[in-house]
């Protein structure tokens, strides 16, 4: 879902874009994220060490999200994009702060909400973030959420894509309409039988029958 949503959103952004902790920029579907941001004036990568880390390619910078952002990168970009990295950084508030410090306006993050634990030798799996948490993190760093989406698929991991901006008024009527997430992964733990039963209990026929049963019980209880 994150790639589908990003394909809708990325062409709306211009200027300088950075993919933070990008590895080799692949989207796991045979493409590259740089191609999503087709209107960008420049496209930069940052990486850290270890597995899926620094590549040593052109237009790539070494960046540790748990350290201070170098001055020359401070709010240098118009868009900072980060895909499924934050769950692997224990000092997540520092990492989120640094992610926001890279951008003078927009930050796009993709994080797992429900996903199998995936530890690696170089970095571990620490966090699952909720929409409420993401709103709080953006707010603490001076950004407001201007778009959010979650995976709609019932039998797969649940990912959240959230976009924040320092200037939300600039983006009014420029982004696709969206539904704020109030209960992410509402279907998690519900089997097909449970969902069918729940739907049946909400049906008008069952509601009418339930009212009749309650009414009959009330009459029998009246002396």
């Amino acid at each position: 879902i994150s790639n589908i949503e990003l394909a809708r959103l990325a062409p709306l952004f211009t200027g300088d874009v950075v993919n933070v902790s990008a590895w080799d920029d692949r989207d796991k579907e045979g493409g590259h994220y740089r191609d999503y941001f087709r209107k960008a004036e420049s496209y930069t990568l940052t990486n850290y060490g270890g597995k899926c880390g620094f590549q040593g390619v052109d237009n790539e910078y070494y960046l540790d999200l748990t350290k201070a952002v170098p001055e020359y990168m401070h709010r240098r970009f118009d868009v900072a994009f980060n895909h499924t990295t934050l769950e692997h950084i224990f000092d997540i508030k520092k990492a989120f702060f640094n992610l926001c410090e890279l951008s003078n306006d927009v930050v796009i993050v993709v994080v797992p909400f429900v996903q199998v634990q995936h530890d690696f030798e170089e970095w571990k799996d620490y966090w699952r973030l909720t929409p409420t948490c993401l709103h709080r993190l953006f707010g603490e760093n001076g950004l407001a959420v201007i778009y959010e989406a979650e995976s709609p698929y019932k039998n797969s991991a649940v990912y959240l894509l959230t976009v924040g901006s320092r200037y939300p008024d600039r983006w009014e009527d420029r982004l696709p309409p969206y539904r704020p997430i109030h209960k992410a992964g509402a279907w998690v733990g519900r089997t097909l039988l449970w969902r069918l039963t729940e739907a049946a209990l909400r049906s008008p026929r069952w509601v009418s029958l339930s009212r009749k049963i309650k009414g009959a019980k009330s009459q029998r209880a009246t002396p």
Side-chain angles (χ1 to χ4, degrees):
I1 185 64
S2 61
N3 289 347
I4 294 173
E5 289 290 341
L6 193 64
R8 299 173 65 206
L9 299 173
L12 302 175
F13 300 112
T14 59
D16 300 315
V17 177
V18 59
N19 185 348
V20 182
S21 298
W23 187 30
D24 62 1
D25 197 52
R26 277 184 284 176
D27 69 355
K28 297 183 181 179
E29 295 184 80
H32 293 83
Y33 286 115
R34 62 175 175 269
D35 298 323
Y36 290 54
F37 294 91
R38 58 177 180 269
K39 293 185 179 179
E41 294 177 17
S42 72
Y43 190 82
T44 301
L45 309 181
T46 78
N47 275 305
Y48 184 53
K51 184 178 181 179
C52 302
F54 191 75
Q55 304 293 297
V57 298
D58 291 340
N59 217 30
E60 178 190 24
Y61 293 90
Y62 187 88
L63 180 67
D64 182 350
L65 282 173
T66 66
K67 309 295 183 183
V69 171
E71 280 294 322
Y72 68 88
M73 298 185 76
H74 180 73
R75 301 197 184 179
R76 172 178 174 179
F77 304 96
D78 299 291
V79 178
F81 166 58
N82 179 248
H83 196 297
T84 54
T85 298
L86 293 170
E87 70 270 24
H88 297 293
I89 303 176
F90 190 74
D91 193 354
I92 192 170
K93 294 189 73 171
K94 178 66 173 179
F96 205 94
F97 171 81
N98 283 335
L99 190 61
C100 293
E101 282 297 282
L102 292 168
S103 176
N104 60 52
D105 186 6
V106 171
V107 174
I108 304 171
V109 296
V110 177
V111 296
F113 174 69
V114 176
Q115 186 188 33
V116 65
Q117 183 176 350
H118 50 295
D119 287 314
F120 297 93
E121 183 177 348
E122 293 86 354
W123 25 269
K124 304 303 180 183
D125 186 10
Y126 298 109
W127 306 110
R128 296 295 179 267
L129 282 71
T130 67
T132 302
C133 177
L134 289 165
H135 278 253
R136 178 72 176 265
L137 287 170
F138 273 118
E140 288 184 352
N141 289 285
L143 287 79
V145 172
I146 57 174
Y147 189 88
E148 57 185 338
E150 68 170 320
S151 306
Y153 309 116
K154 304 299 187 292
N155 296 308
S156 65
V158 181
Y159 290 88
L160 305 176
L161 179 146
T162 312
V163 183
S165 172
R166 296 188 187 279
Y167 310 102
D169 292 345
R170 290 181 180 176
W171 297 99
E172 287 187 3
D173 303 322
R174 294 177 62 185
L175 297 175
Y178 72 96
R179 182 176 299 175
I181 303 171
H182 297 298
K183 194 174 183 181
W187 57 87
V188 173
R190 296 184 179 184
T191 64
L192 177 60
L193 179 60
W194 175 271
R195 294 198 298 271
L196 290 174
T197 302
E198 192 176 47
L201 292 175
R202 289 199 302 265
S203 68
R205 184 176 180 180
W206 173 257
V207 171
S208 176
L209 178 60
S210 179
R211 287 173 179 170
K212 289 180 181 179
I213 293 172
K214 288 180 180 179
K217 287 182 177 179
S218 178
Q219 289 180 354
R220 289 198 300 269
T222 302

